[in-house]
Amino acid sequence: ISFCNNKIRINSGLSTEFAEFARKKMSYIIAQNSKAKFLFYNQYLAYEIIAKDKLLETYILGLNSLSILNTLNNKTYSKLWLSNIVESIPFKVITKNECNYEKLIKTFPEYDTFILQKNVSSGGKGTFLLSKDSEKVVYNELVTGELYIVSPYIKNAFSINTHICISDDMTIYTPISLQIIKKFENKLLFWGSDYIEASNIHFEI
């Protein structure tokens, strides 16, 4: 509704405006069809809407608890948890003052380029490519007191994305896609998803 009509163009980056738009549209749809249900991609938005209108909660499917959302949204928590389950890229949690290229070379001696990420960020806005040449520029972008995750930059690797809906009765896997990542001013930005190219990836991978 919000992106398919030239007369209605809502900036999803303006959270309050978008939440109010979504709340009104949900109420309108429910008035037309009392059996309507809504599944949120951004579940924080769902909580924002529920805070405005508690009755809408009964029409929302698959809403995770805030504790689960906050855990998954925190890259450090997620990496620590997942590293107990699957083989993971080695990483270290550092502060701005610890972001020293020579020290990182000693920590990860087989690598000369690194990925540095804000603990909570998305879309690549908090993801930096750290090398000997970019060290000073990246350092100036960091915030004192915040935690960052640093890991080796793995060349020629796939960045694969999928969405999985899990309920008590079933698990639904959506098609995988290759994340299109572009370097811009020492940041690695998410530029979209390539489903066609992903279909050529061997199933075992």
Side-chain angles (χ1 to χ4, degrees), residues 108-154:
F108 305 104
E110 296 178 14
Y111 301 91
D112 61 3
T113 309
F114 307 96
I115 298 293
L116 190 72
Q117 290 183 299
K118 285 184 178 180
N119 202 26
V120 178
S121 65
S122 62
K125 294 176 183 177
T127 300
F128 304 92
L129 191 62
L130 180 65
S131 65
K132 189 173 183 178
D133 295 333
S134 68
E135 178 184 16
K136 290 182 180 179
V137 177
V138 170
Y139 182 86
N140 290 332
E141 291 265 1
L142 307 184
V143 178
T144 301
E146 281 198 21
L147 293 177
Y148 296 88
I149 302 161
V150 63
S151 57
Y153 174 61
I154 309 297

Coordinates of all heavy atoms in Angstrom, one line a residue, residues 108-154:
F108 N 44.8 -12.1 14.6 CA 44.4 -12.9 13.5 C 45.6 -13.0 12.5 O 45.5 -12.3 11.5 CB 43.1 -12.4 12.8 CG 42.0 -12.2 13.8 CD1 41.6 -10.9 14.2 CD2 41.2 -13.3 14.2 CE1 40.6 -10.7 15.1 CE2 40.2 -13.1 15.1 CZ 39.8 -11.8 15.5
P109 N 46.6 -13.7 12.8 CA 47.9 -13.6 12.0 C 47.7 -14.1 10.5 O 48.6 -13.7 9.7 CB 48.8 -14.5 12.8 CG 48.0 -15.4 13.6 CD 46.7 -14.7 13.9
E110 N 46.7 -14.8 10.2 CA 46.6 -15.3 8.8 C 45.9 -14.3 7.9 O 45.7 -14.5 6.7 CB 45.8 -16.6 8.8 CG 46.5 -17.7 9.5 CD 45.7 -19.0 9.5 OE1 44.8 -19.1 8.7 OE2 46.1 -19.9 10.3
Y111 N 45.5 -13.1 8.4 CA 44.7 -12.2 7.7 C 45.3 -10.8 7.7 O 46.0 -10.4 8.7 CB 43.2 -12.1 8.2 CG 42.6 -13.5 8.2 CD1 42.6 -14.3 9.3 CD2 41.9 -13.9 7.0 CE1 42.0 -15.6 9.2 CE2 41.2 -15.1 7.0 CZ 41.3 -16.0 8.1 OH 40.7 -17.2 8.0
D112 N 45.0 -10.0 6.7 CA 45.5 -8.6 6.7 C 44.3 -7.5 6.5 O 44.6 -6.4 6.4 CB 46.5 -8.4 5.5 CG 45.9 -8.7 4.2 OD1 44.7 -9.0 4.1 OD2 46.7 -8.6 3.2
T113 N 43.1 -8.0 6.4 CA 41.9 -7.1 6.3 C 40.8 -7.7 7.2 O 40.7 -8.9 7.4 CB 41.4 -7.1 4.8 OG1 42.5 -6.8 4.0 CG2 40.3 -6.0 4.7
F114 N 40.1 -6.8 7.8 CA 39.1 -7.1 8.8 C 37.8 -6.5 8.6 O 37.7 -5.4 8.0 CB 39.7 -6.8 10.2 CG 41.0 -7.3 10.5 CD1 42.2 -6.5 10.2 CD2 41.2 -8.7 10.9 CE1 43.4 -7.0 10.4 CE2 42.5 -9.2 11.0 CZ 43.6 -8.3 10.8
I115 N 36.7 -7.1 9.2 CA 35.4 -6.6 9.2 C 35.2 -6.0 10.7 O 35.3 -6.8 11.6 CB 34.3 -7.6 8.9 CG1 34.5 -8.1 7.5 CG2 32.9 -7.0 9.1 CD1 34.3 -7.1 6.4
L116 N 34.8 -4.8 10.8 CA 34.5 -4.2 12.1 C 33.0 -3.8 12.0 O 32.5 -3.1 11.1 CB 35.4 -3.0 12.3 CG 35.3 -2.4 13.7 CD1 36.1 -3.3 14.7 CD2 36.0 -1.0 13.7
Q117 N 32.2 -4.2 13.1 CA 30.8 -4.0 13.1 C 30.4 -3.4 14.4 O 30.8 -3.8 15.5 CB 30.0 -5.3 12.9 CG 30.1 -5.8 11.5 CD 29.2 -7.1 11.3 OE1 29.5 -8.1 12.0 NE2 28.3 -7.0 10.4
K118 N 29.4 -2.4 14.3 CA 28.8 -2.0 15.5 C 28.0 -3.1 16.1 O 27.5 -4.0 15.4 CB 27.8 -0.8 15.2 CG 28.5 0.5 14.9 CD 27.5 1.6 14.7 CE 28.1 3.0 14.5 NZ 27.1 4.0 14.3
N119 N 27.8 -3.1 17.4 CA 27.1 -4.2 18.1 C 25.7 -4.3 17.6 O 25.1 -5.3 17.5 CB 27.2 -3.9 19.6 CG 26.9 -5.2 20.4 OD1 27.2 -6.3 19.9 ND2 26.4 -5.0 21.6
V120 N 25.0 -3.1 17.4 CA 23.7 -3.1 16.9 C 23.6 -2.1 15.7 O 23.8 -0.9 15.9 CB 22.7 -2.6 18.0 CG1 21.3 -2.5 17.5 CG2 22.7 -3.5 19.3
S121 N 23.4 -2.7 14.6 CA 23.3 -1.9 13.3 C 22.7 -2.8 12.3 O 22.6 -4.0 12.4 CB 24.6 -1.4 12.9 OG 25.5 -2.4 12.5
S122 N 22.3 -2.2 11.1 CA 21.7 -3.0 10.1 C 22.0 -2.3 8.7 O 22.3 -1.1 8.7 CB 20.2 -3.1 10.2 OG 19.5 -1.9 10.2
G123 N 21.9 -3.0 7.7 CA 22.1 -2.5 6.3 C 23.5 -2.2 5.9 O 23.7 -1.6 4.9
G124 N 24.4 -2.5 6.8 CA 25.8 -2.2 6.6 C 26.3 -0.8 7.0 O 27.4 -0.5 6.9
K125 N 25.3 0.0 7.6 CA 25.7 1.3 8.1 C 26.7 1.3 9.2 O 27.5 2.3 9.4 CB 24.4 2.1 8.5 CG 23.5 2.3 7.4 CD 22.2 3.0 7.9 CE 21.2 3.2 6.7 NZ 19.9 3.8 7.2
G126 N 26.8 0.2 9.9 CA 27.7 0.1 11.0 C 28.8 -0.9 10.7 O 29.5 -1.4 11.6
T127 N 29.0 -1.3 9.4 CA 30.0 -2.3 9.1 C 31.1 -1.7 8.3 O 30.9 -1.0 7.2 CB 29.3 -3.4 8.2 OG1 28.3 -4.0 9.0 CG2 30.3 -4.5 7.8
F128 N 32.3 -1.8 8.8 CA 33.5 -1.2 8.2 C 34.5 -2.2 7.7 O 34.6 -3.3 8.3 CB 34.2 -0.3 9.2 CG 33.3 0.8 9.8 CD1 32.6 0.5 11.0 CD2 33.1 2.0 9.2 CE1 31.8 1.5 11.5 CE2 32.3 3.0 9.7 CZ 31.7 2.7 10.9
L129 N 35.2 -1.9 6.6 CA 36.3 -2.7 6.1 C 37.6 -2.1 6.6 O 37.9 -1.0 6.1 CB 36.2 -2.8 4.5 CG 37.2 -3.8 3.9 CD1 36.8 -5.2 4.3 CD2 37.1 -3.6 2.3
L130 N 38.2 -2.8 7.4 CA 39.4 -2.2 8.1 C 40.7 -2.8 7.5 O 40.9 -4.1 7.6 CB 39.3 -2.5 9.6 CG 40.5 -2.0 10.5 CD1 40.5 -0.5 10.5 CD2 40.3 -2.5 11.9
S131 N 41.5 -2.0 7.0 CA 42.8 -2.4 6.4 C 43.9 -1.5 6.9 O 43.6 -0.5 7.6 CB 42.8 -2.4 4.9 OG 42.6 -1.1 4.4
K132 N 45.1 -1.7 6.5 CA 46.2 -0.8 6.9 C 46.0 0.6 6.4 O 46.2 1.6 7.1 CB 47.5 -1.4 6.4 CG 48.8 -0.7 6.9 CD 50.0 -1.4 6.5 CE 51.2 -0.7 7.1 NZ 52.5 -1.3 6.8
D133 N 45.4 0.6 5.2 CA 45.2 2.0 4.5 C 44.0 2.7 5.1 O 44.0 3.9 5.1 CB 44.9 1.8 3.0 CG 46.2 1.2 2.3 OD1 47.3 1.5 2.8 OD2 46.0 0.6 1.3
S134 N 43.0 1.9 5.6 CA 41.7 2.6 6.1 C 41.7 2.8 7.6 O 40.7 3.3 8.1 CB 40.5 1.8 5.6 OG 40.5 0.5 6.3
E135 N 42.7 2.3 8.3 CA 42.7 2.3 9.8 C 42.3 3.6 10.4 O 41.4 3.7 11.2 CB 44.0 1.8 10.3 CG 44.1 1.8 11.8 CD 45.4 1.4 12.4 OE1 46.4 1.5 11.6 OE2 45.5 1.1 13.6
K136 N 43.0 4.7 10.0 CA 42.7 6.0 10.6 C 41.3 6.5 10.3 O 40.7 7.1 11.1 CB 43.8 7.0 10.1 CG 45.2 6.7 10.7 CD 46.2 7.8 10.2 CE 47.6 7.5 10.7 NZ 48.6 8.5 10.3
V137 N 40.9 6.3 9.0 CA 39.5 6.8 8.6 C 38.5 6.1 9.4 O 37.5 6.7 9.9 CB 39.3 6.6 7.1 CG1 37.9 7.1 6.7 CG2 40.4 7.4 6.3
V138 N 38.6 4.8 9.5 CA 37.6 4.0 10.2 C 37.6 4.3 11.7 O 36.6 4.5 12.4 CB 37.9 2.5 10.0 CG1 37.0 1.6 11.0 CG2 37.6 2.1 8.6
Y139 N 38.8 4.5 12.3 CA 38.9 4.8 13.7 C 38.2 6.1 14.0 O 37.5 6.2 15.1 CB 40.4 5.0 14.1 CG 40.7 5.3 15.5 CD1 40.8 4.3 16.5 CD2 40.8 6.6 16.0 CE1 41.0 4.6 17.8 CE2 41.0 6.9 17.3 CZ 41.1 5.9 18.2 OH 41.3 6.2 19.6
N140 N 38.2 7.1 13.2 CA 37.5 8.4 13.4 C 36.0 8.2 13.3 O 35.3 9.1 13.8 CB 38.0 9.4 12.4 CG 39.4 9.9 12.6 OD1 39.9 9.8 13.8 ND2 40.1 10.3 11.6
E141 N 35.5 7.2 12.7 CA 34.1 6.9 12.6 C 33.6 6.3 13.9 O 32.3 6.3 14.1 CB 33.8 6.0 11.4 CG 34.0 6.6 10.1 CD 32.8 7.2 9.5 OE1 31.7 7.1 10.1 OE2 32.8 7.7 8.3
L142 N 34.4 5.7 14.7 CA 34.0 4.9 15.8 C 33.7 5.9 17.0 O 34.1 7.0 17.1 CB 35.1 3.9 16.3 CG 35.6 3.0 15.2 CD1 36.6 2.0 15.8 CD2 34.4 2.2 14.5
V143 N 32.8 5.3 17.9 CA 32.3 6.1 19.0 C 32.9 5.6 20.3 O 32.9 4.4 20.6 CB 30.8 6.1 19.1 CG1 30.3 6.8 20.3 CG2 30.1 6.6 17.8
T144 N 33.5 6.5 21.1 CA 34.1 6.1 22.4 C 33.0 5.5 23.3 O 32.0 6.1 23.4 CB 34.8 7.3 23.0 OG1 35.8 7.9 22.1 CG2 35.4 7.0 24.4
G145 N 33.3 4.4 23.9 CA 32.4 3.8 24.8 C 31.6 2.7 24.2 O 31.0 1.9 25.0
E146 N 31.4 2.7 22.9 CA 30.7 1.6 22.2 C 31.5 0.4 22.0 O 32.7 0.5 21.9 CB 30.1 2.1 20.9 CG 28.9 3.0 21.1 CD 28.1 3.1 19.8 OE1 28.2 2.2 18.9 OE2 27.3 4.1 19.6
L147 N 30.8 -0.8 21.9 CA 31.5 -2.0 21.6 C 31.4 -2.3 20.2 O 30.4 -2.1 19.5 CB 30.9 -3.2 22.4 CG 31.1 -3.1 24.0 CD1 30.4 -4.3 24.6 CD2 32.6 -3.2 24.3
Y148 N 32.5 -2.9 19.6 CA 32.5 -3.3 18.2 C 33.0 -4.8 18.1 O 33.8 -5.2 18.9 CB 33.4 -2.4 17.4 CG 33.0 -1.0 17.4 CD1 33.3 -0.1 18.4 CD2 32.1 -0.5 16.4 CE1 32.9 1.3 18.4 CE2 31.6 0.8 16.4 CZ 32.0 1.7 17.4 OH 31.6 3.0 17.3
I149 N 32.5 -5.4 17.0 CA 32.9 -6.8 16.8 C 33.9 -6.8 15.6 O 33.6 -6.2 14.6 CB 31.7 -7.7 16.4 CG1 30.7 -7.7 17.5 CG2 32.2 -9.1 16.1 CD1 29.3 -8.1 17.1
V150 N 35.1 -7.4 15.8 CA 36.0 -7.5 14.7 C 36.3 -8.9 14.3 O 36.4 -9.8 15.2 CB 37.4 -6.8 15.1 CG1 38.0 -7.4 16.3 CG2 38.3 -6.7 13.9
S151 N 36.3 -9.2 13.1 CA 36.6 -10.6 12.6 C 37.4 -10.5 11.3 O 37.4 -9.4 10.6 CB 35.3 -11.3 12.4 OG 34.4 -10.6 11.5
P152 N 38.0 -11.5 10.9 CA 38.8 -11.5 9.6 C 37.8 -11.4 8.4 O 36.7 -11.8 8.4 CB 39.5 -12.9 9.6 CG 39.4 -13.4 11.0 CD 38.2 -12.8 11.6
Y153 N 38.3 -10.7 7.4 CA 37.6 -10.5 6.2 C 37.9 -11.7 5.3 O 39.0 -12.0 4.9 CB 38.0 -9.2 5.4 CG 37.4 -9.1 4.1 CD1 36.0 -9.0 3.9 CD2 38.2 -9.0 2.9 CE1 35.5 -8.9 2.6 CE2 37.7 -8.9 1.7 CZ 36.3 -8.8 1.5 OH 35.7 -8.7 0.3
I154 N 36.9 -12.5 5.0 CA 37.0 -13.8 4.3 C 36.8 -13.4 2.8 O 35.6 -13.1 2.4 CB 36.0 -14.9 4.7 CG1 36.1 -15.1 6.2 CG2 36.3 -16.2 4.0 CD1 37.5 -15.5 6.7

